[in-house]
Amino acid sequence: MGAKEAAQQVLKVLLGQDSHHDPYLELLRLGAASEHIDSEVVVTLIVPGGLVTGTIVPAAVWEEKFTRELDDYDLRRAVGTARDRIEENSDKGRRLQPDSRFLHLRDVTYRDGRASHTLPTWRGPVAAVSGWTLGEPERS
């Protein structure tokens, strides 16, 4: 996303012309999608069943990591055609349009009660987030 497109989307959010549930969370998502941001943003999300902590990444970064994760499983034949098309479109500079209904994270920790689970990536609907904060909880 170029600087001009990012600025236009941020203005829509700030002026209330966008129907996202939480404009501040949307600003973080848009910021992560901009090539002009050098810092990483770690967030902790409250979702049904627990807490999700991770670094916000653009959908394209999540998609790339996800397709690499498929190689760790014996799903290559089952999803081979779809994966090959994603890679082919990526090589040609044509990616799937990011879906603003989802938030994408990498280096994720999911906490449910006392249990903690680490995941390489996470994709979840923004509408499922009932609260959030910057940073991560202290380890106890």
Side-chain angles (χ1 to χ4, degrees), residues 2-139:
K4 185 176 181 180
E5 294 88 10
Q8 289 173 339
Q9 289 186 349
V10 167
L11 280 174
K12 283 182 180 180
V13 170
L14 291 174
L15 297 173
Q17 298 171 340
D18 208 325
S19 62
H20 296 284
H21 297 281
D22 185 336
Y24 298 104
L25 187 57
E26 178 61 9
L27 289 174
L28 290 177
R29 191 188 67 75
L30 288 171
S34 173
E35 311 88 43
H36 307 287
I37 304 296
D38 291 332
S39 60
E40 296 182 339
V41 178
V42 175
V43 295
T44 297
L45 311 170
I46 300 170
V47 297
L51 296 177
V52 175
T53 300
T55 303
I56 298 176
V57 294
V61 170
W62 175 87
E63 182 181 278
E64 182 180 312
K65 287 181 75 70
F66 172 74
T67 55
R68 277 190 267 129
E69 286 175 36
L70 288 177
D71 289 338
D72 294 341
Y73 301 94
D74 193 18
L75 299 175
R76 180 73 177 166
R77 285 188 197 143
V79 295
T81 302
R83 184 174 189 268
D84 290 344
R85 284 194 182 145
I86 289 171
E87 289 175 353
E88 182 180 304
N89 285 334
S90 178
D91 291 343
K92 293 179 182 177
R94 295 184 315 226
R95 302 193 75 81
L96 297 173
Q97 290 300 314
D99 190 336
S100 63
R101 296 174 300 165
F102 295 95
L103 191 61
H104 300 89
L105 305 177
R106 68 170 171 78
D107 304 327
V108 175
T109 301
Y110 175 76
R111 295 170 181 86
D112 59 346
R114 292 183 178 248
S116 180
H117 315 276
T118 58
L119 305 164
T121 59
W122 181 87
R123 173 182 164 116
V126 174
V129 176
S130 61
W132 62 275
T133 187
L134 293 173
E136 60 185 293
E138 287 186 26
R139 306 234 183 253

